[in-house]
Amino acid sequence: MTKSFNSELSFQKLADAELGNSQLRSNLSRATTTIREKRLRAVGELSDWESLRASGAAIKDYVLDHLEELTKQLESNVTKRGGVVHWARTGDEANAIVVGLVNEASATSVVKVKSMVTQEIELNAALERHGIAAYETDLAELIVQLGHDLPSHILVPAIHKNRSEIRDIFLNEMARTGIAAPTTLTDDPAELAAAARAHLRDRFLKATVGVSGANFLIADSGGLVIVESEGNGRMCLTLPETLISVVGVEKILPDWKSLGVFLQLLPRSSTGERMNPYTSIFSGVTPGDGPQHFHLVLLDNGRTSTLADPVGREVLRCIRCSACLNVCPVYERTGGHAYGNPYPGPIGAVLVPQLRKGSRSALENSLPFASTLCGACFEACPVKIDIPKILVKLRSDVVDEGRAEHSYTAELVGMKTVDAVFSSPRTFQRLIRLANFASHITNHLKMRHLPPPLNQWTKGRDTPSLPNVSFRSWFASTHPDSLDSSEKCTANGLQPRSEFVDSSTNLVDDVSNSRDAILTAMAGSHIDSSPPLIGSLMTSDHASELSSDERINQMCERLIDYRASVVISDITDVAIHIRELLAQRGSMKVVSPTDLPESWVYGLDVSLTVDDPPLTTTQLDNTDATITGCAIAISESGTIVLDAGARQGRRTLSLLPDHLIVVINEDQIVERVPEGVARLNASTAQTWISGPSATSDIELERVEGVHGPRILDVVIVRTTDPLRR
């Protein structure tokens, strides 16, 4: 039975229960500290990081101001490329669409890529109710699912589990749904990852339907972008015959060029890496390569009502990196389950109450108060969402709604009392004298806890020592000439100016078609507060500033950081190096694209099969290695891009065999991501590779080769004589 979040309790009650879990707090402290440090190092490498943040925020604001036209453009381009677009106003509508599509495919199970939006709409439970099994394939999500648990972090859903707990889950639960874990399984992360690989491999090869979300949608090409690390995403996006992607309407980017900004912001902010091991990009259907039936479900589910709020709409910039979680002192102490929904941490505290506007429970009303307002989340956010500002606005909404519903509450009486005290200088002075007297008593008695009702504040903290002299008394003795003006200001009753903008928008309720209803809501939420999308908002796609040798050296350094191996060769020795690499890895059965140069494979003492006619997934799974070329390489991030072009073949070739050898010509190496994006064709299906597949989901210990190739070898070919340069 799929477990659902309990939204009946407030954050405070859920957090109170979680605070007693010492193992959770230890895991969280270690994990968030490690991720913070990695992120700071990765961000520190870019001199234009703040410009990138500003560009990201500006692009997303442009999207929000032009969402209606961009979604129409996206729909048109997806359809042109053989995909089908569905529109869902609510989570229930989205679930019904997915269930119908799975039934159309005559499938009784689906494999899933990690997706926040499918958790939001509780898709797994909906599929289960219709007799369809949904198998999570991300390692952390698999741990959570097998453990009949709930995710507690956007990036690392099983962050609350330690390795011994994970071992016990695998031993007790894997056999119930597939291949059992070895009885000799230890808590070593490499062994645990290998058990997950074996458990899911057969499921990948037999799956007919895959389900995903998306990190980005690209309006001018109809492209979907999915960023991941383990290779399970590539398996789900490449092997099934049918792919269904459920994506929030706010995930759109206006154009291909803007992707260059976000592929620098997202990996560094989420995993603290220059680039995730795998990024998959595709547009619709590619004949003979990948799923032959593609469905995109565009989801509203409260997003257009959030769009109508001039303050709260900022949350729709979010790219789900989880940077705000990793710097939040509240999240670090309470964990994700205390937030009672799939979106934990500061972003959840502002996103969920807005998505559920009009039907908020005690949980949603309590979430805006799950913060110290320290501002660390704003400083960490790669798209500059001012979370503290939105939290204050939402708190004000909760108070205003409560005031409208109840004319007499303890909180309201308390606020009126404070108002009366602060409005009267004489009363305020008397209160200060009383506080000075109380401070002497509490300091003398060393009181750790205050009496009721103030004991709620000291339940989780000691009472601080109070100063013996108030600031007002000190100021009066040291600035006697200034006191009169201060008193005059107070006596005149000067109040800070507050502004409230009523952002309610009356939307048409009687629109029968979901597409029309969503587009109408977008049009009704138009604010147009962003500047036009011009080149000044984008980071430059300048030519490389590094020389060819410097780009090669940087590429080598980055690949080695990812634990790949690199060989530099001249154009005549490529086959020699490939032969040596195959021998070192013991790879005897090798596959290649149809147009691989004969000079690369001349004299190989192996069984070499050309992918013509196309090999089956079973045949590829039984192959040791693949040799391929590439489209481009990016030295700054150590990324290799395959686009199924010359010398590359189908996406499946670089996915299933354990050993991947990629040959890169030096003139294919560019320096930065925007330059690489500018060189690529937006309409092609692409795989961006940055080292072997990897995961850090088990106590943040890195393990290679979870689902994709375990070994990546790279041959960089000098196409000119270095002595003549």
Side-chain angles (χ1 to χ4, degrees):
M1 180 68 68
T2 300
K3 190 174 182 180
S4 298
F5 282 95
N6 177 8
S7 59
E8 299 299 320
L9 301 176
S10 68
F11 170 83
Q12 287 78 6
K13 291 181 178 178
L14 292 171
D16 191 53
E18 296 297 325
L19 285 170
N21 187 339
S22 59
Q23 182 65 59
L24 169 69
R25 296 180 70 173
S26 174
N27 291 355
L28 287 171
S29 177
R30 176 175 175 269
T32 54
T33 300
T34 301
I35 297 172
R36 282 199 303 269
E37 291 172 351
K38 284 184 64 179
R39 177 189 171 276
L40 288 173
R41 288 195 297 270
V43 166
E45 292 180 351
L46 297 183
S47 60
D48 60 346
W49 178 251
E50 289 305 317
S51 296
L52 280 169
R53 290 181 72 208
S55 293
I59 293 167
K60 293 296 285 186
D61 282 345
Y62 177 88
V63 168
L64 298 179
D65 285 338
H66 299 82
L67 196 53
E68 181 189 8
E69 63 187 76
L70 290 173
T71 48
K72 289 178 180 178
Q73 184 183 20
L74 173 77
E75 178 187 38
S76 174
N77 286 319
V78 170
T79 304
K80 285 177 184 177
R81 290 172 171 80
V84 181
V85 178
H86 309 263
W87 299 71
R89 285 171 289 186
T90 65
D92 288 341
E93 281 190 11
N95 289 336
I97 291 169
V98 176
V99 169
L101 293 172
V102 175
N103 286 332
E104 280 182 23
S106 301
T108 57
S109 66
V110 301
V111 289
K112 288 185 72 238
V113 187
K114 179 179 179 295
S115 163
M116 297 300 299
V117 75
T118 59
Q119 291 177 14
E120 173 190 328
I121 64 176
E122 298 187 332
L123 175 61
N124 288 10
L127 291 170
E128 188 177 89
R129 287 194 295 270
H130 289 82
I132 301 166
Y135 296 111
E136 297 290 350
T137 62
D138 172 82
L139 177 58
E141 292 286 357
L142 175 67
I143 293 166
V144 169
Q145 186 178 47
L146 290 177
H148 309 287
D149 201 351
L150 293 167
S152 61
H153 192 279
I154 292 175
L155 174 65
V156 196
I159 197 171
H160 56 291
K161 296 292 185 184
N162 60 38
R163 61 180 68 190
S164 62
E165 291 174 310
I166 295 169
R167 177 201 59 208
D168 293 342
I169 290 171
F170 282 9
L171 287 171
N172 295 331
E173 299 294 334
M174 274 188 168
R176 300 177 191 271
T177 58
I179 296 175
T183 56
T184 57
L185 184 68
T186 71
D187 64 2
D188 177 67
E191 284 193 37
L192 295 171
R197 178 185 174 103
H199 179 76
L200 290 171
R201 192 73 167 188
D202 183 63
R203 205 176 299 290
F204 285 135
L205 297 176
K206 293 179 180 177
T208 58
V209 178
V211 175
S212 79
N215 295 95
F216 308 107
L217 302 168
I218 304 175
D220 71 347
S221 67
L224 273 75
V225 183
I226 297 176
V227 177
E228 51 129 357
S229 297
E230 297 174 10
N232 65 294
R234 290 182 66 194
M235 295 281 185
C236 295
L237 300 171
T238 307
L239 299 180
E241 185 71 13
T242 298
L243 175 62
I244 305 166
S245 297
V246 185
V247 190
V249 292
E250 83 282 10
K251 291 297 188 74
I252 294 178
L253 299 182
D255 52 32
W256 176 248
K257 184 178 181 181
S258 60
L259 182 63
V261 173
F262 290 92
L263 287 185
Q264 295 177 89
L265 288 172
L266 179 57
R268 285 177 166 82
S269 296
S270 58
T271 60
E273 295 177 296
R274 302 178 182 102
M275 189 69 72
N276 290 75
Y278 293 135
T279 299
S280 297
I281 304 172
F282 60 93
S283 302
V285 173
T286 303
D289 186 9
Q292 298 304 289
H293 304 283
F294 172 62
H295 298 269
L296 172 62
V297 182
L298 290 174
L299 177 70
D300 182 348
N301 206 36
R303 285 158 175 78
T304 53
S305 64
T306 302
L307 187 68
D309 189 319
V311 176
R313 73 193 328 238
E314 271 191 37
V315 302
L316 298 179
R317 293 181 193 163
C318 178
I319 59 176
R320 308 292 191 267
C321 67
S322 75
C324 61
L325 278 70
N326 300 323
V327 298
C328 178
V330 176
Y331 173 83
E332 185 175 326
R333 286 156 180 80
T334 63
H337 293 163
Y339 293 83
N341 69 85
Y343 299 106
I347 191 60
V350 291
L351 177 62
V352 175
Q354 294 187 102
L355 293 181
R356 297 178 183 171
K357 186 183 297 184
S359 59
R360 294 174 184 159
S361 66
L363 173 68
E364 284 87 47
N365 283 332
S366 68
L367 286 175
F369 300 90
S371 170
T372 64
L373 299 180
C374 67
C377 50
F378 176 47
E379 295 300 322
C381 179
V383 287
K384 304 183 75 169
I385 301 172
D386 194 343
I387 292 177
K389 178 184 71 176
I390 303 171
L391 285 168
V392 171
K393 164 65 164 54
L394 290 172
R395 291 181 182 187
S396 176
D397 290 348
V398 171
V399 172
D400 288 342
E401 290 167 5
R403 184 180 294 119
E405 294 176 6
H406 306 286
S407 59
Y408 180 83
T409 64
E411 183 178 14
L412 185 58
V413 170
M415 290 298 103
K416 286 185 177 295
T417 302
V418 171
D419 179 61
V421 170
F422 285 175
S423 299
S424 168
R426 181 174 297 177
T427 304
F428 187 63
Q429 286 282 18
R430 289 173 177 170
L431 182 64
I432 288 177
R433 286 195 290 271
L434 179 62
N436 286 338
F437 176 72
S439 70
H440 289 292
I441 295 175
T442 56
N443 291 341
H444 177 72
L445 297 177
K446 296 182 179 180
M447 293 177 62
R448 296 181 60 194
H449 302 286
L450 295 176
L454 299 178
N455 63 336
Q456 292 297 314
W457 192 84
T458 56
K459 186 184 265 187
R461 56 181 69 81
D462 291 342
T463 304
S465 297
L466 299 176
N468 292 321
V469 179
S470 71
F471 173 81
R472 194 178 186 86
S473 299
W474 171 85
F475 192 84
S477 64
T478 56
H479 300 74
D481 296 335
S482 301
L483 185 60
D484 289 342
S485 60
S486 175
E487 291 282 358
K488 288 177 183 178
C489 287
T490 306
N492 289 335
L494 296 181
Q495 301 292 332
R497 181 182 177 186
S498 63
E499 296 181 357
F500 174 75
V501 180
D502 184 0
S503 61
S504 61
T505 305
N506 294 321
L507 303 179
V508 179
D509 295 326
D510 57 350
V511 180
S512 59
N513 183 278
S514 292
R515 177 184 186 275
D516 291 342
I518 294 172
L519 292 174
T520 300
M522 290 176 179
S525 303
H526 186 68
I527 295 177
D528 199 13
S529 59
S530 71
L533 189 64
I534 56 178
S536 61
L537 297 180
M538 313 292 292
T539 56
S540 173
D541 56 353
H542 61 80
S544 295
E545 297 178 356
L546 301 179
S547 68
S548 180
D549 281 345
E550 289 171 329
R551 293 197 303 273
I552 289 173
N553 290 337
Q554 187 178 58
M555 189 74 195
C556 291
E557 291 173 2
R558 300 297 193 248
L559 286 168
I560 292 169
D561 281 349
Y562 294 137
R563 302 185 190 178
S565 74
V566 189
V567 176
I568 298 177
S569 173
D570 63 41
I571 200 166
T572 60
D573 292 335
V574 175
I576 295 173
H577 292 298
I578 290 177
R579 184 165 62 245
E580 291 173 348
L581 291 169
L582 291 171
Q584 289 172 12
R585 310 299 188 184
S587 298
M588 297 302 297
K589 292 190 289 185
V590 182
V591 65
S592 75
T594 57
D595 59 346
L596 204 70
E598 291 186 10
S599 61
W600 290 8
V601 294
Y602 179 77
L604 295 186
D605 187 21
V606 296
S607 172
L608 178 64
T609 303
V610 177
D611 188 39
D612 185 22
L615 301 177
T616 66
T617 54
T618 301
Q619 289 172 317
L620 283 172
D621 191 46
N622 291 325
T623 300
D624 297 327
T626 296
I627 305 169
T628 181
C630 71
I632 63 164
I634 303 169
S635 65
E636 181 183 65
S637 61
T639 302
I640 301 164
V641 182
L642 309 181
D643 66 358
R647 304 174 178 180
Q648 297 165 61
R650 299 179 294 142
R651 284 175 283 173
T652 321
L653 296 187
S654 62
L655 172 61
L656 289 175
D658 270 2
H659 182 195
L660 176 62
I661 299 176
V662 181
V663 180
I664 306 172
N665 288 330
E666 67 172 311
D667 58 5
Q668 293 179 303
I669 303 176
V670 300
E671 181 186 347
R672 298 201 64 182
V673 171
E675 187 185 359
V677 168
R679 280 211 197 182
L680 294 164
N681 183 342
S683 63
T684 59
Q686 300 171 18
T687 302
W688 293 41
I689 300 172
S690 303
S693 64
T695 184
S696 298
D697 279 341
I698 303 171
E699 295 187 357
L700 297 183
E701 184 167 328
R702 185 180 174 93
V703 178
E704 274 81 28
V706 188
H707 295 298
R710 306 179 207 229
I711 301 167
L712 174 63
D713 289 327
V714 178
V715 179
I716 298 177
V717 182
R718 291 191 181 276
T719 54
T720 58
D721 184 350
L723 296 178
R724 297 175 62 184
R725 276 182 284 187

